[in-house]
Amino acid sequence: MTEKSPADNFPAGYEVPKVWTWDKANGGAFANINRPIAGPTHDKVLPVGKHPLQLYSLATPNGVKVTIMLEELLAAGHAGAEYDAWLIRIGDGDQFGSGFVDVNPNSKIPALMDRSTPEPTRVFESGSILLYLADKFGAFLPKDHKARTETMNWLFWQMASAPYLGGGFGHFYAYAPMHIQYAIDRFAMEVKRQLDVLDRHLADNRYMAGSDYSIADIAIWPWYGNLAQGKQYGESGTFLDVQSYKHVQRWTAEIADRPAVKRGRIVNRMMGDPSEQLHERHDASDFETKTQDKIAPDQTKA
């Protein structure tokens, strides 16, 4: 008797080939930049500004993590955290330029170069950047063994969980060229489970690692805070009934009200209200003078 394949339970339609091949015309919101190979597609040198920390990013949730962290460090008095934030237009394929690939061979934002070290240090992956900055400045990461471990637990929880939210639910709910009920149901169920994990934890904790704000909150908020505020993936807030997660809502609102968070979330932003778009950030005064509602059209680089 021939053993059945799981695919035998699927309705008639797509037939899985023995060897997958890349179909460039498979559609979807990001079809023009997705590809199954790594490496640069063109030569492009990255710009370098005046500060030790050079950030190459875009205000996606992963990018926002780092700009919030940098603004929080500056607000806490760490002058060495001054930074230049350069815009990487992922829709144009900037992440495949040779200079960017040298900083992050995975061609994903954000990417950071620390030029304050004897030899410039590259840091990529948002969680790695948060941990690097926390260690460098001794901030937003508890020194107590138990609290530090709890912070790391939740930092890595976010890094492992976000692909289900963004790459899974967000993709099939908002960006896929067709709505597939099975895919949306599968990922919506998982995202709601994640929200329930957060809600149960935050019922007994002010912040993710206890009573102190940390890189765990900075990592989680741009993803799940945006979702809780109804700012992610169109009408997904209603679809997922995010208002029912009361403790997540309390935590979300408290963090959203932090001045450094308000600044960090608009750096490298290219969508929405022009007053909340600071395409590039090179000085603290840029928030007052260079948001998209305050500059002449011929002054913008984007």
Side-chain angles (χ1 to χ4, degrees):
M1 181 177 178
T2 304
E3 184 177 354
K4 293 182 67 176
S5 163
D8 293 335
N9 297 319
F10 298 166
Y14 173 61
E15 183 176 341
V16 181
K18 290 187 179 298
V19 178
W20 182 83
T21 56
W22 183 23
D23 178 4
K24 294 183 180 180
N26 63 357
F30 304 106
N32 65 318
I33 61 171
N34 288 338
R35 60 196 185 113
I37 54 176
T41 60
H42 59 282
D43 289 329
K44 186 175 183 180
V45 177
L46 289 176
V48 178
K50 62 183 179 180
H51 300 300
L53 298 176
Q54 298 292 302
L55 178 67
Y56 305 96
S57 192
L58 182 68
T60 66
N62 284 334
V64 168
K65 294 177 192 177
V66 179
T67 48
I68 287 177
M69 178 65 170
L70 289 165
E71 291 298 327
E72 291 282 13
L73 287 167
L74 291 170
H78 297 280
E82 267 295 351
Y83 67 104
D84 292 278
W86 302 94
L87 183 64
I88 298 297
R89 300 171 180 84
I90 62 175
D92 295 344
D94 288 353
Q95 69 276 31
F96 299 118
S98 56
F100 190 90
V101 175
D102 284 344
V103 182
N104 184 357
N106 195 38
S107 292
K108 302 290 184 182
I109 62 92
L112 179 73
M113 286 295 292
D114 182 358
R115 295 181 173 273
S116 70
T117 53
E119 292 185 8
T121 302
R122 74 177 188 182
V123 197
F124 59 90
E125 289 296 327
S126 57
S128 179
I129 296 173
L130 293 182
L131 182 57
Y132 179 86
L133 292 172
D135 281 336
K136 181 180 179 71
F137 293 102
F140 304 111
L141 181 58
K143 293 181 174 57
D144 171 76
H145 174 73
K146 182 176 180 181
R148 178 186 173 93
T149 302
E150 186 70 359
T151 302
M152 299 300 286
N153 289 341
W154 287 108
L155 173 64
F156 282 93
W157 175 87
Q158 188 280 320
M159 295 297 291
S161 297
Y164 286 95
L165 174 53
F169 173 76
H171 177 79
F172 286 107
Y173 180 82
Y175 302 129
M178 65 189 74
H179 281 154
I180 303 170
Q181 182 178 354
Y182 173 80
I184 292 173
D185 285 350
R186 170 68 181 85
F187 287 107
M189 177 178 65
E190 175 60 17
V191 170
K192 286 184 70 67
R193 189 192 68 80
Q194 292 174 8
L195 287 168
D196 194 43
V197 169
L198 289 174
D199 206 57
R200 290 168 184 266
H201 177 71
L202 290 167
D204 300 316
N205 296 274
R206 181 180 179 185
Y207 296 115
M208 292 308 303
S211 59
D212 294 327
Y213 180 68
S214 73
I215 57 173
D217 301 283
I218 294 171
I220 295 169
W221 186 87
W223 282 101
Y224 296 89
N226 265 343
L227 187 69
Q229 290 181 324
K231 296 180 179 179
Q232 199 97 311
Y233 312 126
E235 298 298 317
S236 65
T238 300
F239 181 75
L240 295 170
D241 189 23
V242 294
Q243 291 298 324
S244 65
Y245 301 98
K246 302 300 183 185
H247 306 293
V248 173
Q249 291 293 333
R250 183 270 306 161
W251 169 84
T252 293
E254 183 172 352
I255 293 177
D257 201 42
R258 295 177 67 92
V261 172
K262 291 178 180 180
R263 291 191 298 274
R265 65 176 295 274
I266 74 170
V267 177
N268 298 143
R269 183 167 296 280
M270 295 189 67
M271 299 178 64
D273 186 337
S275 69
E276 295 189 348
Q277 294 183 43
L278 182 61
H279 288 185
E280 290 187 358
R281 187 267 193 212
H282 303 289
D283 187 83
S285 64
D286 291 348
F287 293 100
E288 303 301 325
T289 62
K290 294 185 179 178
T291 54
Q292 290 305 110
D293 63 329
K294 294 174 182 172
I295 63 176
D298 61 350
Q299 291 178 295
T300 182
K301 298 179 182 179

